[in-house]
Each structure stands twice: as structure tokens, then as C-alpha cells.
Amino acid sequence: MPGLINQSSRCPLLLTASEVTSCVSGYALGMTASLTYCNLQAQPCKGLFIFPLDEGTTVVGFEAVICQRAVTVQIKDKAKIDDVYLNSISLPDGGAPNGGGRIVMDEDLERIAFVANLGTIPPLESVSIFISTSSELQTLPSGAVRVLLPAVCVPRVPQPSLENTSSLSSHLLRMDKQCCALGSPELGSSFCLAQLLQSDATNPSEYEFSFHLEIRGPCLLAGVESPTHEIRADADPSARSAKSIVITLANRHTFDRPVEILIHPSEPHMPHILMEKGDMTPAEYEQHLKGKNDFIKGTKKDPSAEKKTEIIRKRLHKDIPHHPVLMLNFCPELSTAPADLQKAAGEFIFLVDCSGSSTSIGRAKDALLVALKSLMPACLFNIITFSSTFKILFPASRTYCEESLAVACESIRRMREDTGSPNILSPLKWIVRQPIRRGHPRLLFLLSHGAVGNAGMVLEMLRNHACSTRYGAQSWGAAAHSRARVRKTETSKGLEQIPEVQMLF
């Protein structure tokens, strides 16, 4: 149930109006949504706003107005935020069946959900929420660019059943019963945020909706269409070519599906470069830099140009708005790729967790032998075992042949369980530092019993190197909590959301 919910009952508040203004610039989308909710209850409630995010979306602005009280968001370094606040959002007494509770937020959920505590909402009072996001748009194989509005901005309105068509109150009553069931005693006193994110965004009644999309294409546009709604396209009065157009809905929103727009560039498979200017000129940025403590201290002992460049690089994440930014977009037409491209001999790296029991190690050995004997000649391979430390079979990946296979099989035969706690980050860091050999795309396979710590840091590293390495994982259930943890990571947009991932569960 993404959107604004009552913390105590975990029920959604009624959405009365949604106004979405957005702009596509090349392959990026900037969106601002104005959402109005109403607390229809006769008593106050504490509001929690939940906005799901995909991998390419970032919240860049947020404000909520309640009875002339404004709630804004301040971005802080995660290391400086209280761990208790990061790990959970406390619910008021009585919010759970045992007199209290919390909504649990794990490491990976921090990436895919924006959560804001709005405080107390008086009875029969409206709440205005303004949220702005920046997104990287999805490109379809045809080269078309896809815009899909978040379900929070256009929640579906369920069609009332024949026996319950009397009034809005019947819809709200049915929704209350469904929400209260989520807090039933058998679920315990904590409610996982992943369960909230898995629920569909719905609204019990129709709401006011307006939609405005400005398109600034990377090249001339061949067309714009919507598979979900009838749209109206108007040229921007200031447009000098067919690169710019304004899209609105031609008819009233039907409340049964999100708004989807497909943009067709006239040159879909040509590389396009877009540039966005910074908010400072080079001279203005130099003056800005001279007033910063890190620059003053760093150049006091070493005023060389190399030192200044080093400081600027370290400050880049803070000063990005001040610099020009280039975006290169390329959507290749893979149907015309040479036939032998699919026959490239890969580099197969097997990362084996030895921290489990003798039974799990036996299963790992069996899976590893099957995988090794399925490889093709001329490919490269290597095996890395890990627990608290890691061991590498070959200093660098070797060509698959009878000799290297015999060495690997003997190594697998000697493989034993280790009582140390699994540390997957160290071998992963070693792997990503190894150069990729031309003509041998890298494929990394993880064999583990599932109880791997630091899931957030591991997933972050995999995401950062997904462009050069494909990942796969195989798990065997060592314990119920381990299996649940793996599923939780998957449903929280974990491994399966990384580009080019192959899941082997």
C-alpha cells in the first residue's frame, strides 16, 4: 500500500487529487507530483508516506503541508544518522496487537523506498504532498523510450462489487478490514516494509487527476503513443523542430491503470549526447572553491595543479550541480549483431561459500562439478572458496582443458567446511580488480547456503559492476531463516533487479 498511510492501522488515507507535471529530456525524466490526501476519520492519526523507487529513480525534492505546518526533507550522510532511525520507524502505542510495533526497513529497502514520517494529521483534515523525482528512462529493444507514471501518483480504483455499491463508506470499511488483518496477532508486532511495497497502490474512490508531459527528444521524434490512454500532442510554442512536444490526456482518466507513454525517436539506434549546463561558470566555481575549508587546507602545503585537481575530484559528489554534465545514450540494434558474437568464450568464476555444514559443502561440490564439466573448450575459469578468508585456485583464470580441469577437480575433492563467518566482500573486491580479457565476457556464479551478511554492501558492489560482469547465484536451504532472508532480498529488488543477472534458484 504505497502512498500516505495511517501508521497505527496501516490503512491508506483517501487520495482526493493528483497533479503530475513532468519533462523528458533525452533519456531522463524529471517529475513533480502534487498529491492531496484527506483523513476522513473522526480522530487524529499519524501519517507515513511511502514512495517506491526503482533502481534509476532518485527523490530530489519533498514537502508536505498539514494545517499550515510544513514537513520537508533534509539529506544527511547515512553514517551520521542514528541507527535506530534507519532500522525502524516506531509505531504509536496500540499500532500493533501487542501494544506497539515497528515497520522494519533493511539495508536494501533503503535504496528502493522513500519513507517520510509526517506526524499527526488532525481529523477531517487534508494533507498536500509535493514530491519531485529524477529518473533514467527505460529503453525498449525497438529504441522507443518508455515513460510509466508511479502507481502512487495514479492509484487504481477497485471496481465495487454488486453487493457493496452503496457509498464511499462501504469502500472505506472494506479497506479498513483488509488493513487491520495485516496487523493480526499471527503476524507479530512488527510489519515488514517489503510487505507494504508489495501491495498495490489503490484508492477507494475516484480522484481529480491532471497530467502534463513535456518531451525534449534527443533527436527528431518519429511519434508518440500511449498503450493505456488516449493522448493529445501539442507542439511547444517555442519549439524550433519536432524534437519538442507537450502531451496531455485526451479523455478523462479511467483510474484502472497507470499512465504509460512510448516515445519513438527518429534515430533510435544512433548514439546521442546531451549536455546540461551547471549553475556556475568556471570563474564562479573557482571563487566558490576558494572559500571551502578542504580546498584552503589542502592547497596550503601543496598549491600545485595536481593537488587542486585531486580536491575537485573528491568534492565532485557535492559540486555536481555547479558543473556541466554530459549524458551519452546508445541503444544498439542487436538483431544485426554478427552471429559469432553469441559464441564468445566466457570467463567463468565460481565463488563458493565454505562456511556451512558438511552437508551443504557436499551439495556445493556436486553443483560445482556439474558446472565445470558443462563448460566449453577455450573458455576461462577459476574457483574461489571463502568463509572468513578466501582462497584462489589459480592466480588468474585459466583456459579450460583436461589439465586445468584435473587440477580443479582435485581442489574440489579437498574442499572442507569452515566454521568461520562468511565474508563475501573480500573475494568480490579481488574479483572486480582483475582485468577482463578481450573476447571473454565475465560470468560470476555464487554458490552459498544463503546466510551472507552485509547484503546491502554486497548488492551495491554488484550493481556498480553489473556493466562488466554477469552474476548468478545458487542456494540450498541451510535453515528456515536463511531461506527467508534470501527471499526477502529478492522481493526487495535485490539480485534479480541487477542488469543481466541470471538467477539459478
Side-chain angles (χ1 to χ4, degrees):
M1 283 171 293
L4 184 58
I5 67 171
N6 182 329
Q7 282 194 15
S8 300
S9 64
R10 298 154 191 165
C11 297
L13 272 69
L14 178 70
L15 177 68
T16 59
S18 173
E19 181 180 351
V20 179
T21 304
S22 51
C23 178
V24 170
S25 181
Y27 296 86
L29 171 69
M31 185 198 77
T32 297
S34 172
L35 308 172
T36 303
Y37 294 89
C38 184
N39 177 17
L40 296 181
Q41 303 298 322
Q43 60 272 358
C45 68
K46 290 193 175 182
L48 189 71
F49 182 71
I50 303 173
F51 191 88
L53 302 170
D54 56 39
E55 289 295 323
T57 301
T58 302
V59 174
V60 296
F62 177 84
E63 182 180 24
V65 179
I66 309 168
C67 295
Q68 299 182 342
R69 173 174 61 89
V71 178
T72 58
V73 169
Q74 182 180 6
I75 298 176
K76 289 187 176 182
D77 189 334
K78 178 179 175 180
K80 298 179 181 179
I81 300 178
D82 185 8
D83 289 340
V84 176
Y85 180 81
L86 277 178
N87 291 335
S88 66
I89 300 170
S90 296
L91 293 174
D93 290 343
N98 297 330
R102 64 180 186 175
I103 294 178
V104 180
M105 189 173 184
D106 67 14
E107 284 182 85
D108 202 50
L109 282 176
E110 294 169 16
R111 297 181 52 92
I112 59 137
F114 173 84
V115 181
N117 192 333
L118 305 188
T120 302
I121 302 174
L124 306 177
E125 192 64 49
S126 294
V127 180
S128 297
I129 292 177
F130 305 91
I131 184 166
S132 299
T133 62
S134 180
S135 308
E136 179 185 353
L137 292 174
Q138 179 186 3
T139 306
L140 303 181
S142 64
V145 180
R146 181 174 183 251
V147 178
L148 181 66
L149 291 192
V152 172
C153 302
V154 279
R156 184 175 56 86
V157 176
Q159 297 299 318
S161 58
L162 294 176
E163 63 272 15
N164 289 313
T165 58
S166 56
S167 65
L168 170 62
S169 59
S170 65
H171 294 292
L172 294 175
L173 180 60
R174 187 165 62 254
M175 188 71 71
D176 283 343
K177 291 180 179 179
Q178 294 172 352
C179 295
C180 292
L182 295 174
S184 57
E186 56 267 21
L187 290 178
S189 61
S190 65
F191 185 67
C192 184
L193 182 60
Q195 293 176 275
L196 286 173
L197 294 174
Q198 290 170 13
S199 304
D200 293 334
T202 60
N203 201 57
S205 66
E206 295 184 357
Y207 48 91
E208 297 180 14
F209 177 71
S210 65
F211 170 69
H212 180 278
L213 171 65
E214 180 184 357
I215 300 174
R216 301 171 187 169
C219 59
L220 297 179
L221 299 179
V224 180
E225 63 173 326
S226 172
T228 59
H229 294 74
E230 293 184 8
I231 58 174
R232 174 179 175 179
D234 298 302
D236 189 329
S238 61
R240 297 183 179 180
S241 69
K243 292 174 63 175
S244 181
I245 199 169
V246 176
I247 301 296
T248 54
L249 297 185
N251 296 319
R252 183 173 175 271
H253 180 45
T254 54
F255 306 102
D256 59 347
R257 68 198 72 181
V259 178
E260 181 180 356
I261 305 293
L262 300 180
I263 304 167
H264 299 276
S266 60
E267 300 172 341
H269 302 297
M270 291 292 293
H272 298 106
I273 294 179
L274 302 172
M275 186 181 78
E276 183 175 320
K277 295 181 179 179
D279 58 13
M280 291 184 179
T281 63
E284 290 173 340
Y285 179 70
E286 187 174 353
Q287 287 298 119
H288 166 79
L289 198 60
K290 289 179 179 178
K292 298 301 178 181
N293 290 334
D294 55 348
F295 184 83
I296 296 171
K297 293 178 181 179
T299 57
K300 191 172 183 179
K301 296 181 180 180
D302 183 5
S304 64
E306 290 79 7
K307 184 62 176 179
K308 292 179 180 179
T309 302
E310 179 186 345
I311 296 172
I312 291 174
R313 284 176 178 168
K314 289 182 178 179
R315 290 186 54 87
L316 186 60
H317 67 289
K318 299 179 181 178
D319 294 342
I320 281 181
H322 307 324
H323 298 290
V325 178
L326 282 176
M327 175 189 280
L328 171 64
N329 301 276
F330 180 45
C331 178
E333 190 173 6
L334 298 179
S335 60
T336 61
D340 58 352
L341 184 64
Q342 303 297 329
K343 300 179 181 179
E347 178 190 15
F348 297 84
I349 299 178
F350 299 94
L351 192 56
V352 185
D353 182 1
C354 292
S355 64
S357 64
S358 58
T359 302
S360 63
I361 294 301
R363 293 174 180 173
K365 288 181 178 182
D366 294 341
L368 194 52
L369 284 172
V370 171
L372 279 179
K373 294 184 178 181
S374 303
L375 297 182
M376 300 294 292
C379 73
L380 305 175
F381 80 101
N382 206 345
I383 299 173
I384 302 172
T385 57
F386 72 95
S387 56
S388 55
T389 59
F390 67 96
K391 297 178 182 179
I392 305 162
L393 178 60
F394 304 123
S397 296
R398 287 193 184 178
T399 303
Y400 183 77
C401 61
E402 290 186 8
E403 181 182 351
S404 58
L405 177 60
V407 174
C409 289
E410 177 61 22
S411 173
I412 294 172
R413 187 185 67 81
R414 297 195 306 267
M415 202 177 290
R416 296 291 183 271
E417 69 272 14
D418 193 316
T419 57
S421 58
N423 176 14
I424 191 176
L425 278 178
S426 295
L428 278 178
K429 290 178 180 178
W430 183 87
I431 291 170
V432 299
R433 286 198 299 264
Q434 305 309 304
I436 296 178
R437 302 191 199 181
R438 186 176 180 84
H440 295 277
R442 178 172 293 166
L443 297 97
L444 172 62
F445 293 88
L446 169 64
L447 287 81
S448 171
H449 55 82
V452 176
N454 298 324
M457 298 176 67
V458 171
L459 292 170
E460 179 72 20
M461 178 173 291
L462 296 181
R463 287 187 185 94
N464 291 339
H465 294 86
C467 58
S468 60
T469 303
R470 298 179 68 178
Y471 306 96
Q474 184 169 1
S475 175
W476 41 87
H481 73 275
S482 299
R483 293 194 294 270
R485 190 169 181 179
V486 171
R487 294 193 191 102
K488 181 179 179 183
T489 302
E490 290 177 10
T491 56
S492 303
K493 293 189 178 179
L495 290 174
E496 86 288 359
Q497 291 298 321
I498 303 170
E500 302 291 345
V501 169
Q502 294 179 330
M503 295 304 296
L504 302 182
F505 293 102

